[in-house]
Amino acid sequence: SELYQLDSPHGICIEVRGKHKHMIIADSGNHRILRWRPGAQEGELVAGGNGKGDGLDQLNEPRAVAVERDGSIVIADLWNHRVVRWAPGASSGELLAGGHGPGKDLHQVSWPSGVAVDPFGNVLVSDYLQHRVTLWEPGAEEGKLCAGGRGQGSELWQLSAPSGLFVDAAGALFIADSGNHRIVKWAGKTPQGELVAGTEEAGFGF
């Protein structure tokens, strides 16, 4: 596809460079990440774009993106069951989390569908199939459980197919708990989340 086209875009985030703000887009169907400047007619390739695959210069339906302070892009690489970082100008990525196939061990992630970076530089990952969110410290070989991970369910200490993530300036984690049709907040080392939006029942129509 051309750089003015997208195919099934999923995650977006905002990159701030001085006074300028750019969109970073997970162009999932094209297995690439684009930067889109305000008023631009096409994007700029910043990661992937080398076809679908599991090489570190490739992506396989990237689902979510986050930006680190140094401008590196953190990517939830869905079908590769991993999270990778692409430094500015890099021609390939660096493995941050997972990459060992889907599974329940803490060195694995299964269908990562959300990523966020906390104020301390840790990367948080929505582990969609394991119904948990894990925290990966810089250089870690496995994640630490920080939300869910006690089976799929609707109790406030459980998650069901978590997807999007957001971390506020205080480090509180907000989770799109998609299977439970709700948004929950996990702050500090609390044993369960706090309901902030939605219920356990889906709502349809307007």
Side-chain angles (χ1 to χ4, degrees):
S1 295
E2 302 296 333
L3 288 172
Y4 61 83
Q5 295 176 303
L6 299 172
D7 182 0
S8 302
H10 279 274
I12 60 171
C13 67
I14 301 299
E15 173 192 54
V16 180
R17 289 190 171 188
K19 296 181 180 180
H20 303 286
K21 295 181 180 180
H22 312 134
M23 273 195 305
I24 303 297
I25 304 169
D27 187 10
S28 188
N30 285 317
H31 315 292
R32 67 187 181 186
I33 308 299
L34 299 180
R35 174 184 294 114
W36 211 286
R37 301 177 186 271
Q41 299 301 307
E42 64 179 22
E44 303 168 17
L45 182 67
V46 295
N50 296 307
K52 174 182 177 179
D54 61 4
L56 283 173
D57 64 338
Q58 296 175 300
L59 300 169
N60 189 345
E61 295 191 22
R63 190 53 56 104
V65 285
V67 180
E68 295 186 308
R69 290 180 181 178
D70 67 355
S72 295
I73 309 298
V74 177
I75 305 163
D77 191 6
L78 185 77
W79 284 100
N80 284 324
H81 307 289
R82 68 187 182 187
V83 175
V84 290
R85 172 195 288 124
W86 284 60
S91 58
S92 64
E94 168 195 0
L95 183 64
L96 287 184
H100 304 288
K104 64 182 180 180
D105 292 336
L106 285 171
H107 71 291
Q108 297 173 297
V109 295
S110 305
W111 278 16
S113 55
V115 289
V117 180
D118 74 10
F120 310 103
N122 302 310
V123 173
L124 294 116
V125 182
S126 276
D127 195 342
Y128 188 87
L129 285 185
Q130 300 302 328
H131 314 293
R132 68 188 182 190
V133 176
T134 51
L135 180 148
W136 295 70
E137 297 173 337
E141 295 185 359
E142 65 177 34
K144 295 181 178 179
L145 184 65
C146 66
R150 290 187 277 177
Q152 182 179 17
S154 59
E155 300 294 336
L156 283 172
W157 41 271
Q158 295 177 304
L159 298 171
S160 178
S163 54
L165 299 177
F166 175 77
V167 179
D168 69 13
L173 173 64
F174 294 79
I175 305 167
D177 189 9
S178 63
N180 285 320
H181 314 290
R182 66 189 184 188
I183 307 298
V184 289
K185 173 184 177 181
W186 289 64
K189 296 182 179 180
T190 53
Q192 66 180 37
E194 171 192 351
L195 181 66
V196 295
T199 66
E200 294 172 14
E201 296 182 1
F204 303 95
F206 297 94

